[in-house]
Amino acid sequence: MSQSTSMKARLAQCKAELLRTVRNRRFVIFSFIMPVVFYFIFTNTVGDNVQVGNVDWKAYYLMSMTVYGVVGASLTSYAQRLSRERSQGWLSLLKITPLPSWSYVLSKVLSQAVINLAIIIVMFVVGGVFKDVNLSASTWIACGLFIFIGGFSFMGLGTLIGSIKNADFVQVLSMICYMGLSILGGLWFPTDTMSSTMKTIAHLTPTYRLGQGAWDAVAGVSINWTGVGILVAYVVVFLAISSYIMKKQEAV
């Protein structure tokens, strides 16, 4: 296969992944509609003039719901697609095609990255246009970049969950992880409202650390490198465990 033909095949695979994802109603609901609905409900309930620290609630919660949408896309869609395709023998079928095995993973990651970027843009437009969230251009970019790059940690978790071949179990497990990590990580309500024990637990979650980068950027606080290190550690652990599981499965 020539280089140009191989590139076209990979692009076609990425395009197919994107189309399959956006046509999934569950994905659209959990990744786009729910974060927007929750954002309007909680900002209207609490009020636009309330502050969390030195940050307006509507700006703070916009970052929370943007992270919520990115996490949901990785766990309710990405993980379930991986599990379903593995259980159906999709990877075995790809081995007989001219495409290298890594192109399958690359297409998954790239398509998910595009989806995450779309979620970030949609949420930022909603907050800026409909709730008058007023941030500088540099702050918008900093928040978006941190959520986008940090979102790869949840692709790692999605890969780990997706390594399980029982698609029905993965659907339940991914929802438990999605909702549990969102609540524990302070995406639904600030960790300042939690008890000291719950706050300690929250600070260990990847959801909190992903949200923290955006919250700090809105507040004008410098980046917390401890939080970044924790996110990186999660990626390494998730990918190492999922790689081990997949190799064990292929060896059977």
Side-chain angles (χ1 to χ4, degrees):
M1 181 183 289
S2 66
Q3 186 174 0
S4 61
T5 303
S6 178
M7 180 60 68
K8 289 180 180 179
R10 295 187 194 113
L11 290 175
Q13 193 172 2
C14 291
K15 181 180 178 181
E17 287 292 335
L18 283 171
L19 290 176
R20 290 175 58 200
T21 302
V22 298
R23 288 170 179 171
N24 187 315
R25 293 181 180 178
R26 184 185 295 111
F27 159 76
V28 174
I29 291 173
F30 281 106
S31 301
F32 284 93
I33 297 178
M34 281 182 61
V36 171
V37 171
F38 285 153
Y39 178 63
F40 280 111
I41 289 175
F42 282 95
T43 51
N44 289 335
T45 301
V46 176
D48 292 342
N49 297 323
V50 176
Q51 289 194 328
V52 180
N54 296 321
V55 178
D56 288 341
W57 170 248
K58 60 185 179 181
Y60 179 95
Y61 206 63
L62 176 63
M63 300 307 154
S64 298
M65 288 297 99
T66 303
V67 172
Y68 181 70
V70 169
V71 172
S74 297
L75 298 186
T76 64
S77 175
Y78 180 73
Q80 292 178 32
R81 290 201 316 273
L82 280 177
S83 175
R84 188 176 300 109
E85 290 172 3
R86 287 178 61 80
S87 64
Q88 294 173 347
W90 184 247
L91 287 179
S92 299
L93 181 62
L94 284 176
K95 289 180 180 179
I96 64 176
T97 68
L99 286 174
S101 58
W102 56 262
S103 67
Y104 169 78
V105 177
L106 180 63
S107 67
K108 291 286 186 186
V109 172
L110 290 180
S111 61
Q112 189 62 46
V114 171
I115 289 167
N116 288 351
L117 181 60
I119 293 171
I120 294 169
I121 292 173
V122 168
M123 290 301 301
F124 282 12
V125 169
V126 167
V129 174
F130 297 101
K131 297 299 292 185
D132 196 29
V133 175
N134 187 15
L135 302 174
S136 65
S138 60
T139 302
W140 283 116
I141 294 172
C143 292
L145 279 177
F146 191 91
I147 296 173
F148 177 75
I149 297 173
F152 283 90
S153 61
F154 288 92
M155 289 190 208
L157 178 56
T159 301
L160 175 57
I161 297 175
S163 66
I164 302 171
K165 291 185 178 181
N166 188 326
D168 293 332
F169 177 73
V170 166
Q171 182 175 350
V172 175
L173 179 61
S174 61
M175 283 301 301
I176 292 174
C177 291
Y178 176 33
M179 303 306 289
L181 287 173
S182 296
I183 295 172
L184 286 176
L187 299 185
W188 281 22
F189 45 86
T191 57
D192 290 342
T193 63
M194 298 179 179
S195 66
S196 58
T197 302
M198 290 301 296
K199 188 182 296 186
T200 300
I201 295 173
H203 289 181
L204 296 174
T205 63
T207 37
Y208 173 81
R209 294 302 177 176
L210 183 54
Q212 181 186 34
W215 297 327
D216 287 349
V218 172
V221 178
S222 59
I223 189 169
N224 186 303
W225 290 107
T226 299
V228 173
I230 291 174
L231 276 177
V232 172
Y234 271 116
V235 173
V236 173
V237 171
F238 291 152
L239 292 180
I241 297 175
S242 59
S243 177
Y244 173 78
I245 292 175
M246 289 180 181
K247 287 181 179 178
K248 292 287 287 185
Q249 290 173 343
E250 291 176 359
V252 176

